[in-house]
Amino acid sequence: MLNKYPMWKNIMVLLVLTIGGFYAIPNLYGEDHAVQVVATRGAEVTASTLSSVNGLLESKGIAVKRAELEDGQLIVRVQNAEQQLLAREAIAESLGDKYTVALNLAPATPEWLEAMGGTPMKLGLDLRGGVHFLMEVDMGEAIRKMEEAKIADFRSQLREERIRYAGVRKTAKGLEIKFRDAENLSKAERYLKSLSNEMVFTDGSVGENYALYASMSDDYLRQIKEEALQQNITTIRNRVNELGVAEPVVQRQGAERIIVQLPGVQDTARAKEILGATASIEFRMVDQNVDQAAAANGRVPASSEVFPRRSGGIAVLKKEVMLTGDHITGAQPSFDEYSRPQVSINLDAKGGNIFSNVTKDNIGNPMATLFIEYKDSGQRNPDGTVKMTKIEEVISVATIQARLGRNFVINGLDHAEAQSLALLLRAGALIAPVTIVEERTIGPSLGAENIENGKMAMIWGMVVVLIFMLIYYRAFGVIANLALTANLVMVVGVMSMIPGAVLTLPGIAGMVLTVGMAVDGNVLIFERIREELLAGRSVQQAIHEGYANAFSTIADANITTFMTALILFAVGTGAVKGFAVTLMIGIATSMFTSIVGTRVIVNLMWGGKRVKKLSI
């Protein structure tokens, strides 16, 4: 029988529309102003933290809508933006520097709906807001690290060539290599110049003091700074990917700064912790020939330094760095045979060779893992930039039992620290520290005008189309209008279901375009039905032929548009991707509602019946 769907197909359409509508519902509840607290450096957010924060805010007269612990972090919801700022300041001052306190916008979705997987769709930086960081790369530190690397290279190169030298150190004039005689100085100068043109060598001998000075050429300095900026951009992108942020913006600004925008980010505190932290590790040998009592008073040889141990006490390490985190290619948190947290490290080929050679000569000696982190001190420099505090501590000291290669482990961490360190090292070591010189959490008020304009465009577009279809196609116009409304709900539902989907202002333009494309399919079908009726076909034949013959035309048009949107998504960035995602979802849902959805309604109303006239 013509125009009759089996029951399973009707149920399938109803189920799809129900699921789309269910996942669109959370968008009706809006968001709460919230403060997010995340523990760092071994601290924990516990029920006692929740209790103390509630008591603190109550004493300050700040009304708390809801405070909850989620995945080891505390989210405190307050009434408005003003109370949000006051709450952040009070909590940050009370908890201290072992916690990251940041502004956030928490979905106001009811708990029962969240339990069923319902979450609102994420809005982009231009609509919902998000996090904006302006970071400055410490070029002085990048150059210092390269100088330290050159000092180590000079030592190994001269030893390999059997050229005797008295010492290598950094001075105000550059890197100084001292010799006991002019012959070895002359040999070293010729040999080192033959290896590289990056350094400029000058003879700085005075009397019997034979010295060769090495300084970096201007071209080499520019290259170091450029590489530092580019590598840090790559590393920050990797860290953003670890955070799972959709459509981030990571780009350079000038010669030393990087802009990071995280639109629609939900975990603001986590973003600040990961992006703002400059964590790296160094492996150094422990100086065993130092009196601990003297070291506690700061009396150590010039070749050694004193560092605090995380477990308590101090450790005296040699200044010479055996290996840095630059050679780390992989890092995964794991557990040892006693279920203690550890981080499994993989090195690149060069790092593996360096580590193998160094540990081979130090079997039986203790080696320390030095953890270095730069954190926001809460103060500002005279030029207005954020003053960073350098934290250095020894997280483990272990005796080298055998020659180590490209794979080894770091222990002495708790579970949270192992997870965090593995993430930072896996994302890549920053070649130089970055300072957050500007941080903005952009609230929805800045995007209110964009949201309002987008809503008005959508409403007026829908109203005009709905009126036109109702007048021009009568009963079939009502069906088209139902399908159009269902299509819009499904687009919102699908956008809410996809974890990485973010709605931007261009995305709203894509939704408005989808409205026109959705109704276009129905226009083609209805006009074809009219043609079949004018050609003398029966009502049932006209409906059948109208849908069957119009399908190929609709499919061709939508598939070509979908392919174009797919290309835009593949090659585009930022706003272009936002538009492409919304358009692709809109095309898929509009084909479903305009072809399958309207057909179900038409079949239920007129299918299989003796009908002499259609209201079209």
Side-chain angles (χ1 to χ4, degrees):
M1 187 179 293
L2 285 177
N3 305 318
K4 290 291 287 183
Y5 269 168
M7 182 59 69
W8 69 266
K9 188 171 286 190
N10 293 331
I11 294 173
M12 182 268 293
V13 172
L14 182 62
L15 185 63
V16 170
L17 293 174
T18 302
I19 292 173
F22 174 80
Y23 282 100
I25 289 174
N27 294 280
L28 300 175
Y29 290 94
E31 294 169 316
D32 289 329
H33 293 87
V35 177
Q36 190 167 11
V37 181
V38 176
T40 59
R41 300 187 67 245
E44 283 187 281
V45 177
T46 62
S48 63
T49 312
L50 171 62
S51 177
S52 64
V53 167
N54 277 331
L56 172 69
L57 296 182
E58 185 178 351
S59 68
K60 298 283 185 179
I62 300 172
V64 177
K65 292 177 68 174
R66 194 168 83 200
E68 54 199 351
L69 285 171
E70 292 182 2
D71 301 324
Q73 62 187 16
L74 174 62
I75 297 178
V76 182
R77 301 167 187 258
V78 294
Q79 300 293 335
N80 51 49
E82 183 181 352
Q83 290 195 348
Q84 183 187 34
L85 293 172
L86 293 173
R88 182 183 68 167
E89 291 176 5
I91 294 171
E93 184 179 347
S94 174
L95 295 181
D97 61 359
K98 286 195 173 183
Y99 296 85
T100 300
V101 182
L103 301 176
N104 203 348
L105 290 169
T109 310
E111 292 183 15
W112 67 268
L113 196 53
E114 281 186 352
M116 298 177 69
T119 56
M121 62 180 169
K122 298 180 180 67
L123 302 181
L125 206 66
D126 52 355
L127 297 179
R128 177 202 188 270
V131 184
H132 170 98
F133 292 115
L134 179 61
M135 298 178 167
E136 186 170 67
V137 181
D138 187 346
M139 293 303 179
E141 184 69 12
I143 293 171
R144 186 193 67 79
K145 282 189 174 182
M146 190 56 67
E147 287 175 338
E148 289 182 352
K150 286 294 180 184
I151 288 173
D153 288 344
F154 289 158
R155 286 173 177 153
S156 62
Q157 289 163 356
L158 294 174
R159 279 198 296 264
E160 288 175 5
E161 197 63 16
R162 299 184 184 278
I163 299 174
R164 301 185 67 182
Y165 65 96
V168 185
R169 63 172 185 160
K170 183 182 182 304
T171 67
K173 295 181 180 179
L175 306 183
E176 181 188 59
I177 311 173
K178 301 193 76 173
F179 301 89
R180 292 187 173 86
D181 54 65
E183 182 183 355
N184 278 302
L185 184 150
S186 179
K187 285 181 181 178
E189 185 175 5
R190 286 196 303 271
Y191 176 63
L192 293 176
K193 280 183 177 179
S194 68
L195 293 179
S196 172
N197 59 359
E198 298 167 346
M199 306 295 291
V200 177
F201 295 93
T202 55
D203 188 340
S205 302
V206 179
E208 296 297 318
N209 296 319
Y210 300 99
L212 181 66
Y213 289 100
S215 59
M216 298 178 181
S217 65
D218 291 339
D219 288 341
Y220 189 43
L221 286 172
R222 281 193 292 270
Q223 179 185 335
I224 291 171
K225 292 179 179 179
E226 182 65 23
E227 287 178 355
L229 186 68
Q230 292 299 334
Q231 182 174 331
N232 279 3
I233 288 174
T234 301
T235 299
I236 289 171
R237 281 202 181 107
N238 291 338
R239 292 184 180 183
V240 170
N241 292 337
E242 291 282 352
L243 286 167
V245 178
E247 298 188 31
V249 174
V250 182
Q251 62 188 23
R252 68 184 294 168
Q253 183 184 69
E256 299 182 359
R257 292 187 170 186
I258 302 169
I259 291 176
V260 180
Q261 292 182 348
L262 308 178
V265 69
Q266 294 296 308
D267 195 344
T268 310
R270 182 65 170 160
K272 185 178 178 182
E273 177 193 349
I274 296 301
L275 297 179
T278 306
S280 61
I281 56 174
E282 293 179 352
F283 298 98
R284 302 193 190 189
M285 298 306 299
V286 176
D287 191 339
Q288 303 178 75
N289 302 318
V290 176
D291 181 78
Q292 290 295 312
N297 294 319
R299 296 195 301 273
V300 295
S303 60
S304 300
E305 292 179 278
V306 179
F307 296 98
R309 296 187 64 166
R310 180 168 289 181
S311 57
I314 60 170
V316 182
L317 310 183
K318 294 184 178 179
K319 285 185 177 179
E320 183 177 356
V321 179
M322 297 165 56
L323 190 74
T324 67
D326 297 342
H327 298 288
I328 293 175
T329 58
Q332 295 293 334
S334 58
F335 295 92
D336 62 14
E337 63 270 22
Y338 301 105
S339 298
R340 293 176 301 197
Q342 64 182 20
V343 179
S344 301
I345 303 291
N346 301 320
L347 301 175
D348 59 20
K350 183 178 179 181
N353 291 334
I354 294 171
F355 211 49
S356 176
N357 292 330
V358 172
T359 54
K360 173 190 67 174
D361 299 329
N362 287 282
I363 293 176
N365 297 324
M367 179 186 70
T369 304
L370 180 65
F371 179 75
I372 305 167
E373 183 179 18
Y374 288 81
K375 292 185 72 69
D376 187 344
S377 67
Q379 302 175 352
R380 291 191 175 270
N381 296 312
D383 61 357
T385 60
V386 177
K387 187 175 182 180
M388 302 299 285
T389 300
K390 185 178 183 180
I391 301 170
E392 296 175 301
E393 55 186 358
V394 175
I395 57 176
S396 70
V397 175
T399 301
I400 300 174
Q401 303 290 348
R403 185 175 185 174
L404 300 176
R406 295 178 62 179
N407 304 301
F408 60 98
V409 298
I410 299 173
N411 47 35
L413 307 165
D414 64 27
H415 181 64
E417 289 172 324
Q419 293 276 353
S420 182
L421 179 61
L423 187 157
L424 289 166
L425 297 179
R426 186 168 64 248
L430 291 171
I431 198 170
V434 290
T435 303
I436 299 177
V437 297
E438 181 184 65
E439 175 199 348
R440 284 186 285 124
T441 301
I442 302 171
S445 58
L446 295 178
E449 186 177 349
N450 290 334
I451 294 174
E452 189 61 29
N453 290 339
K455 281 183 179 178
M456 294 306 297
M458 182 70 67
I459 290 170
W460 283 110
M462 285 282 292
V463 167
V464 171
V465 171
L466 293 176
I467 292 174
F468 171 80
M469 294 299 290
L470 190 61
I471 294 173
Y472 199 71
Y473 291 110
R474 301 180 185 179
F476 274 74
V478 174
I479 296 172
N481 290 343
L482 291 173
L484 195 58
T485 305
N487 174 67
L488 193 58
V489 172
M490 285 186 64
V491 170
V492 174
V494 173
M495 289 283 289
S496 302
M497 290 168 63
I498 300 175
V502 176
L503 180 65
T504 60
L505 189 60
I508 292 179
M511 292 178 71
V512 175
L513 180 60
T514 299
V515 170
M517 296 184 66
V519 78
D520 184 56
N522 288 129
V523 169
L524 288 171
I525 293 170
F526 297 165
E527 287 299 321
R528 192 61 192 244
I529 293 174
R530 275 181 167 179
E531 290 177 4
E532 296 297 334
L533 289 173
L534 292 172
R537 301 269 189 180
S538 68
V539 167
Q540 298 299 334
Q541 287 177 324
I543 293 173
H544 176 75
E545 293 296 328
Y547 274 96
N549 294 330
F551 175 78
S552 60
T553 304
I554 297 169
D556 288 345
N558 281 278
I559 289 171
T560 52
T561 307
F562 188 91
M563 290 174 64
T564 304
L566 189 62
I567 294 170
L568 282 176
F569 178 79
V571 302
T573 57
V576 175
K577 274 194 172 183
F579 174 78
V581 168
T582 312
L583 185 59
M584 285 190 291
I585 293 172
I587 289 170
T589 56
S590 66
M591 285 194 66
F592 176 81
T593 54
S594 63
I595 298 174
V596 181
T598 58
R599 185 71 184 271
V600 167
I601 299 174
V602 169
N603 286 355
L604 289 174
M605 292 183 66
W606 294 289
K609 300 175 183 177
R610 293 184 177 275
V611 182
K612 295 184 178 180
K613 188 177 180 181
L614 282 178
S615 179
I616 191 171

